């Protein structure tokens, strides 16, 4: 565990000395506020494709990022 803490301390020192912000971990979830009508439409499209809304939205976002 000491090695881990030492590595983190070195990384933070490197970021500070190079004027960069450290990268923060992402937990993989976020909240988005959309209209009830859009939410209903997304739900229906996902349902028609046999997917959960989360999986459908993940697929759409991934495709948008690959363009």
């Amino acid at each position: 565990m000491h090695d881990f803490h030492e590595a983190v301390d070195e990384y933070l020192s490197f970021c500070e000395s190079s004027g960069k912000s450290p990268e923060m971990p992402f937990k993989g979830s976020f909240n988005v506020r959309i209209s009830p009508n859009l939410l209903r439409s997304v739900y229906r499209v996902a349902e028609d494709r046999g997917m959960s809304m989360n999986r459908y939205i993940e697929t759409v976002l991934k495709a948008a990022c690959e363009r």
Side-chain angles (χ1 to χ4, degrees):
M1 187 62 107
H2 173 74
D3 291 340
F4 171 77
H5 288 284
E6 188 174 301
V8 171
D9 289 342
E10 287 177 15
Y11 172 68
L12 294 175
S13 292
F14 168 77
C15 289
E16 186 176 335
S17 67
S18 62
K20 297 183 179 182
S21 297
E23 289 188 29
M24 305 305 275
F26 290 91
K27 67 179 190 172
S29 66
F30 67 102
N31 294 319
V32 178
R33 290 179 178 83
I34 60 175
S35 73
N37 289 338
L38 179 56
L39 181 59
R40 184 179 299 109
S41 295
V42 170
Y43 174 81
R44 287 181 179 157
V45 171
E47 188 176 52
D48 288 347
R49 295 179 184 203
M51 304 170 86
S52 69
M53 278 198 342
N54 282 345
R55 184 69 180 143
Y56 175 68
I57 292 168
E58 180 180 4
T59 300
V60 170
L61 291 174
K62 185 175 181 182
C65 289
E66 291 173 349
R67 291 185 186 159

